DNA sequence: CAAGAATGTGAGACTCAGTATCATTCGAGT
DNA sequence: ACTCGAATGATACTGAGTCTCACATTCTTG
């Protein structure tokens, strides 16, 4: 759902490699998202028009809307391409013996290792995502895609998984929620705090960690 | 954040009852949301203009945007006022001995009792919330308010709650996620299934129900 | 390689969402 | 009653998002 659907009535057989048309399409998609994110980061969202983004991406205005439903969505996509989507990829490299939740925590820990290098860029993007109601709304919309990606990435770690099992999707949502709330708190603190640690704290705060049980703070970075 | 903030520099002392001005304001807010939801339900979202909503609510066009940031937000608010916000209210009436998660499950069970009466209306609203990317984005945006409301409603059920404890917010998000995903599945099934039961299933699928541990099905409907 | 079908593209026109301004009206407190 | 701050509505304006159509590009089939 990240790429706006093509009108392809001309179905491609599943096994074949993507043709020139599809490669061009995803390349254009990426150029637009990158241009949108860069312009919005530089000049602000309101000051960036779709015309500018389209020109910067080397396409026409009408074409822009064939790729993204809204300006905010293009920006949010460009911001996040460098961000949370990689989590699904990292998840694949985490030891298979780890359970779903532990795998997520390990993946975040891995990502947190070179967090400091990206801190300023990350803060800028996190602030931009929250800078207006419309921007936040479309960011939340994108999170759904990430939830699905994470759900697919962890699904194999569930044993006795029945079709339609709610657990992978719920874990995907839980993961994104932890990231979102941790980011909220981090941004509210002007990006001074330790975001990876915050994420781990939120991840640990599962709904079944009943108050009577100690809910050990889990202070690992 | 449901009501768009007033510019009130003339602070009202916290104890006093709301004056005519504030009562009028929330009444107008509600009239707009209701008119927006009704028109959108009747004619569709794209076919409903802000002008129509404003006229139906008996206000001017410019005033509309002093109450809502976007058309979709007004519609989503109108749709949800009849829906999930009541959950926070029901939560207060649930026996105090229940823990946070059990309280949520009990509250949903209570709401599910007269679900059948509202099934058609509920389905219509759920479909409308998912009818377009923009509508879904703004619906997700509203869910954040509900998360906060639920978090506040369950906070007292956590023992040893430190300020800034992530658990209430995470539970609020968990609750809304369960409702959202259950609704997705329910809508995909054209509203034929048992929504309350679905919600309970999703609620039970907590991230710590590790696959190695039996993950007791918790089959109470 | 040729030709036709399917699809992607850009230009321009159009509707309407969302913002800003300003004169007017309304509510709260004296 | 009087005054100040806030809410309102009319108006005008920018720009998002949609639509259509002519044209270009890619895919397919022979």
């Amino acid at each position: 759902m990240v790429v706006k659907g093509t009108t392809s009535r001309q179905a491609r057989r599943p096994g074949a490699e993507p043709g020139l048309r599809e490669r061009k399409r995803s390349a254009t998609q990426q150029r637009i998202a990158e241009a949108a994110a860069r312009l919005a980061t530089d000049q602000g969202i309101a000051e960036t028009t779709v015309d500018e983004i389209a020109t910067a991406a080397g396409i026409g205005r009408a074409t822009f809307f064939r790729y993204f439903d809204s300006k905010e969505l293009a920006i949010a996509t460009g911001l996040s391409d460098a961000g949370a989507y990689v989590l699904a990829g990292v998840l694949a490299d985490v030891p298979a013996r780890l359970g779903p939740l532990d795998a997520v925590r390990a993946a975040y820990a891995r990502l947190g290792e070179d967090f400091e290098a990206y801190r300023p860029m990350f803060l800028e993007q996190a602030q931009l995502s929250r800078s207006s109601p419309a921007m936040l709304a479309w960011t939340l919309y994108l999170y759904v895609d990430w939830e699905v990606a994470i759900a697919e990435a962890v699904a194999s770690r569930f044993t006795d998984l029945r079709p339609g099992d709610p657990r992978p999707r719920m874990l995907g949502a839980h993961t994104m929620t932890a990231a979102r709330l941790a980011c909220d708190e981090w941004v509210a603190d002007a990006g001074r705090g330790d975001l990876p640690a915050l994420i781990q704290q939120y991840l640990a705060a599962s709904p079944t960690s009943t108050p009577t049980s100690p809910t050990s703070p889990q202070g690992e970075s």
Side-chain angles (χ1 to χ4, degrees), chain A:
Chain A
M1 205 196 291
V2 173
V3 179
K4 205 173 166 184
T6 49
T7 333
S8 231
R9 268 172 276 289
Q10 180 176 314
R12 178 168 63 86
R13 49 205 176 289
E17 77 288 353
L20 172 59
R21 199 174 246 164
E22 288 194 40
R23 273 181 285 128
K24 259 185 149 178
R25 183 168 180 85
S26 59
T28 303
Q29 154 109 7
Q30 197 172 345
R31 277 208 322 281
I32 299 174
E34 283 172 1
R38 181 173 45 80
L39 288 171
T41 305
D42 291 349
Q43 345 173 331
I45 298 171
E47 289 72 28
T48 304
T49 69
V50 171
D51 261 311
E52 285 178 304
I53 299 174
T55 303
I59 57 165
R61 201 187 117 76
T63 303
F64 174 92
F65 287 105
R66 291 197 183 92
Y67 282 85
F68 291 98
D69 280 314
S70 81
K71 182 179 72 166
E72 283 82 4
L73 187 54
I75 297 172
T77 301
L79 291 180
S80 68
D81 270 356
Y85 236 103
V86 294
L87 182 66
V90 174
L91 268 173
D93 296 334
V94 157
R97 63 180 164 74
L98 292 178
L101 180 58
D102 287 335
V104 168
R105 306 192 68 177
Y108 266 126
R110 169 97 44 104
L111 287 176
E113 285 169 12
D114 33 34
F115 167 68
E116 284 305 326
Y118 299 107
R119 176 189 285 260
M121 185 197 71
F122 212 82
L123 176 61
E124 194 170 47
Q125 296 182 352
Q127 287 171 333
L128 207 55
S129 305
R130 291 157 175 77
S131 61
S132 75
M135 198 62 210
L136 179 55
W138 284 104
T139 299
L140 294 172
Y141 173 80
L142 267 190
Y143 280 12
V144 176
D145 286 331
W146 302 346
E147 285 178 20
V148 174
I150 294 170
E152 288 170 357
V154 297
S156 63
R157 295 173 188 274
F158 285 96
T159 61
D160 71 347
L161 198 66
R162 270 182 290 270
D165 195 312
R167 286 176 297 165
R169 278 303 297 275
M170 286 301 287
L171 179 54
H174 183 254
T175 305
M176 291 311 301
T177 301
R180 169 168 61 91
L181 296 183
C183 250
D184 283 345
E185 189 174 331
W186 184 62
V187 167
D189 188 33
R192 277 187 296 266
D194 184 353
L195 179 59
L198 275 175
I199 292 179
Q200 296 291 342
Q201 282 174 28
Y202 276 94
L203 275 178
S206 88
T208 49
S209 62
T210 51
T212 51
S213 75
T215 309
S216 55
Q218 316 256 15
E220 78 274 27
S221 72

